[in-house]
Short mmCIF file of all heavy atoms in Angstrom, two decimals:
data_model
loop_
_atom_site.label_atom_id
_atom_site.label_comp_id
_atom_site.label_asym_id
_atom_site.label_seq_id
_atom_site.Cartn_x
_atom_site.Cartn_y
_atom_site.Cartn_z
N THR A 101 429.73 125.09 100.99
CA THR A 101 430.59 124.57 102.06
C THR A 101 432.06 124.55 101.67
O THR A 101 432.91 125.06 102.41
CB THR A 101 430.13 123.14 102.43
OG1 THR A 101 428.75 123.18 102.76
CG2 THR A 101 430.94 122.61 103.59
N TRP A 102 432.37 123.94 100.52
CA TRP A 102 433.78 123.84 100.12
C TRP A 102 434.40 125.20 99.83
O TRP A 102 435.57 125.43 100.11
CB TRP A 102 433.95 122.91 98.93
CG TRP A 102 433.79 121.47 99.31
CD1 TRP A 102 432.81 120.62 98.93
CD2 TRP A 102 434.64 120.73 100.19
NE1 TRP A 102 433.00 119.40 99.52
CE2 TRP A 102 434.11 119.44 100.29
CE3 TRP A 102 435.78 121.04 100.91
CZ2 TRP A 102 434.69 118.45 101.08
CZ3 TRP A 102 436.37 120.05 101.70
CH2 TRP A 102 435.82 118.78 101.77
N ALA A 103 433.62 126.11 99.26
CA ALA A 103 434.16 127.44 98.98
C ALA A 103 434.43 128.21 100.25
O ALA A 103 435.42 128.94 100.35
CB ALA A 103 433.18 128.21 98.10
N MET A 104 433.58 128.05 101.26
CA MET A 104 433.81 128.75 102.52
C MET A 104 435.00 128.18 103.28
O MET A 104 435.71 128.90 103.96
CB MET A 104 432.54 128.71 103.38
CG MET A 104 431.44 129.59 102.81
SD MET A 104 429.89 129.48 103.69
CE MET A 104 430.30 130.30 105.21
N VAL A 105 435.21 126.88 103.14
CA VAL A 105 436.32 126.25 103.85
C VAL A 105 437.65 126.44 103.12
O VAL A 105 438.66 126.78 103.74
CB VAL A 105 436.03 124.73 104.06
CG1 VAL A 105 437.24 124.02 104.61
CG2 VAL A 105 434.83 124.55 104.96
N LEU A 106 437.64 126.25 101.81
CA LEU A 106 438.90 126.25 101.05
C LEU A 106 439.10 127.45 100.13
O LEU A 106 440.13 127.55 99.48
CB LEU A 106 438.99 124.97 100.20
CG LEU A 106 438.98 123.66 100.96
CD1 LEU A 106 438.94 122.50 99.99
CD2 LEU A 106 440.17 123.55 101.89
N GLY A 107 438.11 128.33 100.05
CA GLY A 107 438.24 129.51 99.19
C GLY A 107 438.29 129.12 97.72
O GLY A 107 437.50 128.28 97.28
N PRO A 108 439.20 129.69 96.95
CA PRO A 108 439.28 129.38 95.52
C PRO A 108 439.56 127.90 95.23
O PRO A 108 439.14 127.38 94.20
CB PRO A 108 440.43 130.24 95.01
CG PRO A 108 440.61 131.29 96.02
CD PRO A 108 440.14 130.73 97.32
N PHE A 109 440.24 127.22 96.13
CA PHE A 109 440.48 125.79 95.94
C PHE A 109 439.16 125.02 96.05
O PHE A 109 438.97 124.00 95.40
CB PHE A 109 441.49 125.25 96.95
CG PHE A 109 442.85 125.86 96.79
CD1 PHE A 109 443.34 126.75 97.71
CD2 PHE A 109 443.64 125.55 95.69
CE1 PHE A 109 444.58 127.33 97.56
CE2 PHE A 109 444.88 126.12 95.51
CZ PHE A 109 445.35 127.01 96.46
N GLY A 110 438.24 125.50 96.86
CA GLY A 110 436.91 124.92 96.95
C GLY A 110 436.14 125.08 95.66
O GLY A 110 435.39 124.19 95.26
N TRP A 111 436.32 126.23 94.99
CA TRP A 111 435.68 126.43 93.68
C TRP A 111 436.15 125.36 92.71
O TRP A 111 435.36 124.77 91.99
CB TRP A 111 436.03 127.79 93.09
CG TRP A 111 435.62 128.98 93.87
CD1 TRP A 111 434.69 129.04 94.86
CD2 TRP A 111 436.13 130.30 93.72
NE1 TRP A 111 434.61 130.32 95.34
CE2 TRP A 111 435.47 131.12 94.65
CE3 TRP A 111 437.08 130.86 92.89
CZ2 TRP A 111 435.73 132.47 94.77
CZ3 TRP A 111 437.34 132.21 93.00
CH2 TRP A 111 436.67 133.01 93.93
N LEU A 112 437.45 125.14 92.69
CA LEU A 112 438.02 124.15 91.78
C LEU A 112 437.51 122.75 92.11
O LEU A 112 437.15 121.99 91.22
CB LEU A 112 439.55 124.20 91.85
CG LEU A 112 440.31 123.27 90.92
CD1 LEU A 112 440.02 123.62 89.47
CD2 LEU A 112 441.79 123.37 91.18
N LEU A 113 437.46 122.43 93.39
CA LEU A 113 436.98 121.12 93.82
C LEU A 113 435.55 120.89 93.37
O LEU A 113 435.22 119.84 92.81
CB LEU A 113 437.08 120.99 95.35
CG LEU A 113 436.56 119.70 95.95
CD1 LEU A 113 437.47 118.55 95.56
CD2 LEU A 113 436.45 119.82 97.44
N VAL A 114 434.69 121.87 93.59
CA VAL A 114 433.28 121.73 93.20
C VAL A 114 433.15 121.67 91.68
O VAL A 114 432.33 120.91 91.14
CB VAL A 114 432.44 122.88 93.79
CG1 VAL A 114 431.02 122.84 93.26
CG2 VAL A 114 432.43 122.80 95.30
N ALA A 115 433.95 122.43 90.97
CA ALA A 115 433.90 122.40 89.51
C ALA A 115 434.31 121.04 88.95
O ALA A 115 433.81 120.62 87.91
CB ALA A 115 434.79 123.49 88.93
N LEU A 116 435.17 120.33 89.66
CA LEU A 116 435.64 119.03 89.19
C LEU A 116 434.75 117.87 89.65
O LEU A 116 434.90 116.76 89.15
CB LEU A 116 437.08 118.78 89.66
CG LEU A 116 438.12 119.72 89.05
CD1 LEU A 116 439.49 119.44 89.65
CD2 LEU A 116 438.16 119.59 87.54
N LEU A 117 433.82 118.12 90.58
CA LEU A 117 432.91 117.07 91.03
C LEU A 117 431.98 116.68 89.88
O LEU A 117 431.62 117.52 89.06
CB LEU A 117 432.06 117.56 92.20
CG LEU A 117 432.70 117.64 93.57
CD1 LEU A 117 431.74 118.31 94.55
CD2 LEU A 117 433.08 116.27 94.06
N PRO A 118 431.56 115.42 89.83
CA PRO A 118 430.61 115.05 88.79
C PRO A 118 429.27 115.72 89.04
O PRO A 118 428.88 115.96 90.18
CB PRO A 118 430.49 113.53 88.92
CG PRO A 118 430.96 113.23 90.29
CD PRO A 118 431.95 114.30 90.66
N SER A 119 428.57 116.02 87.98
CA SER A 119 427.27 116.67 88.08
C SER A 119 426.24 115.71 88.66
O SER A 119 426.21 114.53 88.31
CB SER A 119 426.82 117.15 86.71
OG SER A 119 425.55 117.73 86.79
N ALA A 120 425.39 116.22 89.54
CA ALA A 120 424.33 115.40 90.11
C ALA A 120 423.19 115.21 89.12
O ALA A 120 422.34 114.36 89.31
CB ALA A 120 423.82 116.05 91.40
N HIS A 121 423.16 116.00 88.05
CA HIS A 121 422.09 115.93 87.06
C HIS A 121 422.32 114.85 86.02
O HIS A 121 421.38 114.44 85.36
CB HIS A 121 421.93 117.27 86.33
CG HIS A 121 421.62 118.41 87.23
ND1 HIS A 121 420.52 118.44 88.05
CD2 HIS A 121 422.28 119.56 87.46
CE1 HIS A 121 420.49 119.56 88.72
NE2 HIS A 121 421.56 120.27 88.38
N GLU A 122 423.55 114.46 85.84
CA GLU A 122 423.86 113.49 84.78
C GLU A 122 423.28 112.12 85.10
O GLU A 122 423.45 111.61 86.20
CB GLU A 122 425.38 113.35 84.60
CG GLU A 122 426.04 114.59 84.05
CD GLU A 122 427.55 114.45 83.98
OE1 GLU A 122 428.06 113.35 84.26
OE2 GLU A 122 428.20 115.44 83.67
N ALA A 123 422.60 111.56 84.14
CA ALA A 123 422.09 110.21 84.31
C ALA A 123 423.24 109.24 84.12
O ALA A 123 424.05 109.40 83.21
CB ALA A 123 420.98 109.92 83.31
N LYS A 124 423.30 108.23 84.93
CA LYS A 124 424.35 107.25 84.79
C LYS A 124 424.00 106.33 83.64
O LYS A 124 422.85 105.99 83.43
CB LYS A 124 424.52 106.48 86.08
CG LYS A 124 424.91 107.39 87.22
CD LYS A 124 425.54 106.63 88.31
CE LYS A 124 425.85 107.61 89.42
NZ LYS A 124 427.05 107.42 90.03
N SER A 125 425.00 105.94 82.90
CA SER A 125 424.76 105.06 81.76
C SER A 125 425.72 103.88 81.82
O SER A 125 426.72 103.90 82.52
CB SER A 125 424.94 105.82 80.45
OG SER A 125 426.23 106.32 80.34
N ALA A 126 425.36 102.86 81.08
CA ALA A 126 426.18 101.65 81.00
C ALA A 126 426.14 101.15 79.56
O ALA A 126 425.41 101.67 78.73
CB ALA A 126 425.63 100.59 81.94
N ARG A 127 426.94 100.15 79.28
CA ARG A 127 426.97 99.54 77.94
C ARG A 127 426.15 98.27 77.96
O ARG A 127 426.19 97.48 78.90
CB ARG A 127 428.42 99.21 77.54
CG ARG A 127 429.29 100.41 77.35
CD ARG A 127 428.97 101.04 76.05
NE ARG A 127 429.80 102.23 75.84
CZ ARG A 127 429.68 102.97 74.78
NH1 ARG A 127 428.82 102.66 73.84
NH2 ARG A 127 430.43 104.04 74.64
N CYS A 128 425.41 98.05 76.89
CA CYS A 128 424.63 96.83 76.73
C CYS A 128 425.60 95.66 76.56
O CYS A 128 426.54 95.76 75.76
CB CYS A 128 423.72 96.95 75.51
SG CYS A 128 422.86 95.42 75.10
N PRO A 129 425.40 94.55 77.27
CA PRO A 129 426.31 93.41 77.12
C PRO A 129 426.15 92.68 75.78
O PRO A 129 427.00 91.89 75.40
CB PRO A 129 425.93 92.50 78.29
CG PRO A 129 424.54 92.86 78.63
CD PRO A 129 424.39 94.32 78.30
N HIS A 130 425.07 92.97 75.05
CA HIS A 130 424.82 92.30 73.78
C HIS A 130 425.40 93.08 72.60
O HIS A 130 426.06 92.51 71.74
CB HIS A 130 423.32 92.09 73.57
CG HIS A 130 422.67 91.33 74.68
ND1 HIS A 130 422.77 89.97 74.82
CD2 HIS A 130 421.93 91.75 75.74
CE1 HIS A 130 422.11 89.58 75.89
NE2 HIS A 130 421.59 90.65 76.47
N CYS A 131 425.10 94.39 72.54
CA CYS A 131 425.49 95.18 71.36
C CYS A 131 426.44 96.34 71.70
O CYS A 131 426.88 97.05 70.80
CB CYS A 131 424.26 95.74 70.66
SG CYS A 131 423.42 97.03 71.59
N ALA A 132 426.75 96.54 72.96
CA ALA A 132 427.62 97.62 73.45
C ALA A 132 427.01 99.00 73.24
O ALA A 132 427.71 100.00 73.30
CB ALA A 132 429.01 97.54 72.83
N GLY A 133 425.71 99.07 73.03
CA GLY A 133 425.03 100.35 72.95
C GLY A 133 424.89 100.99 74.32
O GLY A 133 424.91 100.30 75.34
N VAL A 134 424.73 102.29 74.36
CA VAL A 134 424.59 103.00 75.63
C VAL A 134 423.15 102.88 76.10
O VAL A 134 422.21 103.09 75.34
CB VAL A 134 424.97 104.49 75.47
CG1 VAL A 134 424.78 105.24 76.76
CG2 VAL A 134 426.40 104.61 74.98
N LEU A 135 422.98 102.53 77.39
CA LEU A 135 421.65 102.44 77.98
C LEU A 135 421.68 102.96 79.40
O LEU A 135 422.73 103.02 80.03
CB LEU A 135 421.12 101.00 77.92
CG LEU A 135 421.97 99.88 78.50
CD1 LEU A 135 421.53 99.53 79.89
CD2 LEU A 135 421.84 98.68 77.61
N ALA A 136 420.53 103.38 79.90
CA ALA A 136 420.43 103.90 81.25
C ALA A 136 420.56 102.76 82.25
O ALA A 136 420.07 101.65 82.02
CB ALA A 136 419.10 104.61 81.44
N VAL A 137 421.23 103.04 83.36
CA VAL A 137 421.41 102.03 84.39
C VAL A 137 420.05 101.63 84.94
O VAL A 137 419.23 102.47 85.27
CB VAL A 137 422.32 102.56 85.52
CG1 VAL A 137 422.34 101.60 86.70
CG2 VAL A 137 423.71 102.80 85.01
N GLY A 138 419.80 100.33 84.98
CA GLY A 138 418.55 99.80 85.51
C GLY A 138 417.48 99.54 84.47
O GLY A 138 416.43 99.02 84.80
N SER A 139 417.73 99.89 83.21
CA SER A 139 416.71 99.66 82.18
C SER A 139 416.59 98.16 81.93
O SER A 139 417.56 97.42 81.97
CB SER A 139 417.03 100.41 80.90
OG SER A 139 418.29 100.02 80.41
N ALA A 140 415.37 97.72 81.64
CA ALA A 140 415.10 96.29 81.46
C ALA A 140 415.43 95.80 80.06
O ALA A 140 415.66 94.62 79.86
CB ALA A 140 413.64 96.00 81.78
N GLN A 141 415.44 96.72 79.09
CA GLN A 141 415.66 96.31 77.71
C GLN A 141 416.54 97.35 77.01
O GLN A 141 416.42 98.54 77.24
CB GLN A 141 414.31 96.22 77.00
CG GLN A 141 414.37 95.72 75.59
CD GLN A 141 412.99 95.64 74.97
OE1 GLN A 141 412.04 96.25 75.45
NE2 GLN A 141 412.88 94.89 73.89
N CYS A 142 417.42 96.88 76.15
CA CYS A 142 418.29 97.77 75.38
C CYS A 142 417.47 98.43 74.28
O CYS A 142 416.69 97.76 73.59
CB CYS A 142 419.44 96.98 74.76
SG CYS A 142 420.51 97.98 73.70
N GLY A 143 417.63 99.72 74.11
CA GLY A 143 416.91 100.44 73.08
C GLY A 143 417.47 100.20 71.68
O GLY A 143 416.81 100.50 70.69
N HIS A 144 418.68 99.66 71.59
CA HIS A 144 419.32 99.45 70.29
C HIS A 144 419.02 98.06 69.73
O HIS A 144 418.53 97.92 68.63
CB HIS A 144 420.83 99.65 70.40
CG HIS A 144 421.22 101.00 70.87
ND1 HIS A 144 421.23 102.10 70.05
CD2 HIS A 144 421.57 101.46 72.09
CE1 HIS A 144 421.59 103.17 70.74
NE2 HIS A 144 421.79 102.80 71.98
N CYS A 145 419.32 97.05 70.51
CA CYS A 145 419.16 95.67 70.02
C CYS A 145 417.90 94.98 70.54
O CYS A 145 417.60 93.88 70.14
CB CYS A 145 420.40 94.85 70.37
SG CYS A 145 420.63 94.59 72.14
#
C-alpha cells in the first residue's frame, strides 16, 4: 500500500516501521532483567 501510494518514500516508511515479528519486552521491576510482556515470573530473579 505505502509503496504504491508514495513510491520510494513508501519503501523508506515501511523499512522504518517496527517489525511485527519482534516480541515486546519490558524490564523486571525487581532486578531490571529483560522479560516478555505479560509473563508472570521473571526468568532472572
Side-chain angles (χ1 to χ4, degrees):
T101 305
W102 286 114
M104 289 175 70
V105 172
L106 299 175
F109 296 109
W111 299 342
L112 183 63
L113 177 69
V114 173
L116 294 177
L117 284 174
S119 178
H121 301 301
E122 292 176 6
K124 299 201 182 221
S125 61
R127 293 283 179 182
C128 173
H130 304 283
C131 70
V134 178
L135 54 98
V137 171
S139 58
Q141 184 179 18
C142 176
H144 301 281
C145 66

